[in-house]
Amino acid sequence: MNTYFYYAELNAQNVCTGIKSVTGELNFPSHVLISDYDISYLNKKYENGEWSKEQFLPDAGAIQLSRMDQLEKSQADQDELLMQLMLTNGGN
């Protein structure tokens, strides 16, 4: 029978962005061992060995801008690939 370890995954601001269940121990600064698979840790900050009571919800505007940036880059990559294909095939 496997033993499971539960970790809260932290972002650069030490805010929990996910919960993991793994069969082996992790030793990463961005992962904090927790007692069970508990989603109440999500969006809470971990500082000095303590969890905040308040939640730090992501900025919806920043998320939307990030997605737009990704879409624009993807479109630019596709345009470049299409141009390379056209040049390689002589436009035919």
Side-chain angles (χ1 to χ4, degrees):
M1 185 167 171
N2 287 337
T3 300
Y4 289 95
F5 298 89
Y6 304 100
Y7 288 90
E9 185 173 5
L10 308 178
N11 66 13
Q13 291 77 38
N14 288 333
V15 175
C16 178
T17 57
I19 305 294
K20 289 185 177 180
S21 171
V22 296
T23 57
E25 291 187 66
L26 300 177
N27 189 20
F28 300 112
S30 61
H31 290 74
V32 176
L33 186 64
I34 55 178
S35 59
D36 56 17
Y37 196 96
D38 183 352
I39 62 170
S40 70
Y41 290 102
L42 289 173
N43 298 314
K44 291 189 178 176
K45 187 175 264 194
Y46 186 75
E47 288 184 303
N48 303 318
E50 299 287 326
W51 289 99
S52 67
K53 296 200 183 315
E54 63 184 307
Q55 288 191 314
F56 294 83
L57 299 175
D59 178 12
I63 292 171
Q64 192 66 21
L65 285 175
S66 174
R67 289 181 180 159
M68 286 298 294
D69 290 342
Q70 291 173 353
L71 287 171
E72 287 173 359
K73 181 176 179 348
S74 176
Q75 184 63 49
D77 291 346
Q78 290 175 19
D79 291 347
E80 183 179 339
L81 181 58
L82 182 59
M83 184 62 74
Q84 289 175 358
L85 286 170
M86 289 174 64
L87 290 173
T88 302
N89 294 328
N92 295 325

